[in-house]
Amino acid sequence: MFHLTYLLFMFVSWTNAQYEWQPKDAVDEIRLKLDKINSDNCGFQPLSEIYLPEDTVSHIPDIKDVVINPVFPNRTALLHLSNMALNRGFFFSYISQARFIRPAINDTYDPGMMYYFLSTVADVSANSHINASAIYFAPNMSYSPSYRGFFNKTFPYFAPRTFRADDFNDPIHLEKMSTLNTFTVRDLGAFSNESLTKDYTSKHYGTNEWYSKWLPDNVVGRHDTKTTYQVEIRYANNTNETHTFHGPPGADDIPGPIKWTRPYFDCGRSNKWLVAAVVPIADIYPRHTGFRHVEYPTYTAVSVIEMDFERIDINQCPVSAGNSGPNRFADTAKCKEETTLCEPLDGWGFRRGGYQCRCLPGYRLGNTVRRPFLGEIIERATLEQYYSGVFDCKRIGWLQSKIVFPSQMEPYLREQYLEKNSEYKNFTPGLGSVKDSHINIHEVINSIRGVNPNNCNNYRKEDLQLLGDYGFGAHQQFANEAKMAVRLANFISAFLQISDPKEVYSGTRVADKHLSEDEMIGEALSIVMADFKIWSAGIFWDTNKFPNRTLFAPYAYKTVNYGRKVFVEDLARLNKSDEVYTNKEWFTFTKQRWSTNFDSLEKFYVKLKLRYTEEGGHLNKFEYYPTFYRAANLDHGYWSAPYYDCNGPAKDWFIRYAVPFFGWDSLKVKLEFKGAITVTMPLLNLDINQCPHKFYDPNAFKGTHKCDQRSSYCVPIQGRGYDTGGYKCECIQGYEFPFEEEDFTYFDGQMMEDEFMHMLHNNKTRYDTFKCRIAGAALPLSNVFYVMVLVLCSLLMWAQ
């Protein structure tokens, strides 16, 4: 049979696949399309060639589902992409309508052009996964204060866009290496009226599917059906104000606030294959009519955040429960379906081998195999290796049924387990247990979860401050939330260093004004509204660093996820010495860390071209071309230890991330610390890791799993939160899973923890049976045969 299969594959060896013996599949098909299009030929290709099918990007995070089900690591970049688009959608919707809570003047409260340009720059600079960011306005929908005499007038087109440039051969980098820190910024609304191919609203543009997702906003019937959101603001003088504004659709609306484009070749711009998340921006239109009954809410622009398609992981595993389609690459994995099943891995992007092949229930790895078969190894195998059984699992001949009715454990055996887990016999009750040298994890978790708004005042302040190792994993699991803060810190740093309100330009163009209070309030609340893991966000300015204010600290928070109501407080109103934010530990630490030395800050280069006149016409270089700014990256931020906020507006266990922003001093000679951005995430959303780690890893819960260490090893499971049992026990090399199961080849950590607690309380338990057994013979009949041979040999020897 093997030789017949070999001849068959040799007969079809002409196929254009990864190796000659492998049949051509969807991965080869899409790879061919990717390689076919380049910057030289994309301009005269049909549209069908510069778009990929929708199902080439599968398992897109659904905002309606992310609070319920975990988002797996191979989709966190896509989730952050959608959150960033939602962030910008909320901000520009809010700031466009914030003028209704301000006195009516013959001027506009809108941000200037530099605000838009540098905002898109910060979107890209703060996250290496994001390739481009843009705001595309519908025709005659964008108002601007950037030109004299332009009050209540609109740009014909306005579309600030930033994409990451390849600066390998850039003259400003003598090192001749790509830094990923150079950005090309263009106003794509500045073009000649005769050039239809540059009109991003026209069908002649080609790759403008992101525009047609939401614009033009042709509403049938009433326009006042746009989703409204409410912001309750408390200012520094303790006055209150409630502002209602129209924004993107809510998470519970249909179809929701985020739409995705098909992968497309960004011809003539970045010349890459990109995927975009698109969110609408709402405004009241037309403005300043004097008749509110003729002004109506409408979508005036879209926020478009894009990433490189080839950095998105593909899933080659077959469609199954929990792995639904549509997925063009489904069932292209090379796992042996008779004995193994496919499991996707993260971090591989668009290339083969991003999976591993696990043994099916009833099968085990060979005695010489340590871990599941890696897809990368299988994909590179020769025909002889693939069909020689190297990547097959061994059949387990004799399986036993799992015990249904537990029994009382023998006292001596129970005592042995308690000796191995001595922390369950001697421990400090309550929150004091967190400081034990060997923690009782159940007591620790129950004590932490036992703190609530009703009893938190009964604890000492130091009891509500956990050690830093109780937040292990936050750097990875909350990285996207931290990048939200880094993005805002990058923007403020760029604005303070590049935009000068005192600058005088030729013609009618005027410089952007100072950052306003409304803009800072809008930035803080947009972070909270866009990310379900972020519970609060604040912009804390240092003393006398914000214009005309001694202290200024807009702090936004929410009480429910994806609700329609957000709260904002200016924490400058707190004037007691122990309440002032400039005296807080995280603020003083950040300020001292960045008080003098700024050499380690990232240096970002901006190549900005903006419109020549109000009407557009053509692009013109910014007066400082190229220019640059310095800002912090993700590693420059400060992660706090977990703490319970008993006096704050949101009372819960949190982890805080703070990142600084910088601007020029009064003489524009050197940089100085201007303030910090903070975001807080609930501690109980963090997945703890009970598996063993290196001795130097600061994980308070390491080694607290209940797997049998002789026969199994611990593997973390995502999505279990701050609770015990977030792992599974896999059989180690030379052992096998002994029970009849249709879906599992491991012991679930929650089951292990439950059975252990039954044993601890001397109840009936199955804990001692949940072990892997030594991998034995393939069939029970073979054991009988060996026994008979031994008996005969013994009889012969005895007879002699």
Side-chain angles (χ1 to χ4, degrees), residues 20 56 178 207 212 297 341 356 423 511 651 660 688 701 720 751:
E20 290 183 350
T56 51
S178 183
T207 56
S212 58
L341 56 86
Q356 62 183 8
E423 65 272 12
K651 295 176 172 58
I688 65 173
F701 301 109
R720 299 285 175 90
M751 180 177 62

Side-chain angles (χ1 to χ4, degrees), residues 2 4-25 28 316 332-336 352 355 357 374-391:
F2 170 78
L4 184 62
T5 307
Y6 179 83
L7 291 174
L8 177 63
F9 274 95
M10 289 300 292
F11 179 75
V12 295
S13 62
W14 52 266
T15 183
N16 186 22
Q18 184 180 15
Y19 292 108
E20 290 183 350
W21 65 272
Q22 296 181 359
K24 187 177 180 181
D25 57 21
D28 300 300
Q316 294 183 251
T332 59
K334 300 298 188 297
C335 293
K336 296 295 193 68
R352 293 179 178 274
Y355 60 90
C357 302
L374 284 178
E376 183 184 26
I377 305 299
I378 299 176
E379 296 277 354
R380 295 180 179 180
T382 63
L383 179 64
E384 292 84 357
Q385 289 174 326
Y386 186 74
Y387 285 102
S388 64
V390 174
F391 304 114

Side-chain angles (χ1 to χ4, degrees), residues 354-374:
Y355 60 90
Q356 62 183 8
C357 302
R358 291 191 166 279
C359 293
L360 284 169
Y363 292 84
R364 63 172 175 83
L365 292 171
N367 291 339
T368 59
V369 183
R370 187 175 181 85
R371 292 291 186 267
F373 305 110
L374 284 178

Side-chain angles (χ1 to χ4, degrees), residues 5-62:
T5 307
Y6 179 83
L7 291 174
L8 177 63
F9 274 95
M10 289 300 292
F11 179 75
V12 295
S13 62
W14 52 266
T15 183
N16 186 22
Q18 184 180 15
Y19 292 108
E20 290 183 350
W21 65 272
Q22 296 181 359
K24 187 177 180 181
D25 57 21
V27 180
D28 300 300
E29 172 198 347
I30 299 301
R31 181 76 266 172
L32 214 61
K33 294 195 71 171
L34 295 180
D35 296 338
K36 178 181 177 182
I37 309 297
N38 54 52
S39 57
D40 297 325
N41 62 21
C42 65
F44 48 85
Q45 294 286 343
L47 281 179
S48 59
E49 294 297 320
I50 59 177
Y51 279 102
L52 298 180
E54 286 189 17
D55 58 359
T56 51
V57 180
S58 62
H59 305 81
I60 294 177
D62 187 355

Side-chain angles (χ1 to χ4, degrees), residues 587-598:
F587 190 89
T588 55
F589 175 87
T590 306
K591 183 176 180 179
Q592 291 170 3
R593 165 68 178 84
W594 298 101
S595 59
T596 55
N597 189 354
F598 309 104

Side-chain angles (χ1 to χ4, degrees), residues 146-175:
S146 295
Y147 290 91
R148 296 189 187 94
F150 207 69
F151 173 69
N152 207 21
K153 294 182 180 179
T154 58
F155 289 142
Y157 297 91
F158 183 49
R161 183 177 190 263
T162 295
F163 65 86
R164 195 184 305 275
D166 184 2
D167 55 1
F168 178 78
N169 285 318
D170 201 300
I172 60 178
H173 295 300
L174 300 179
E175 301 89 348

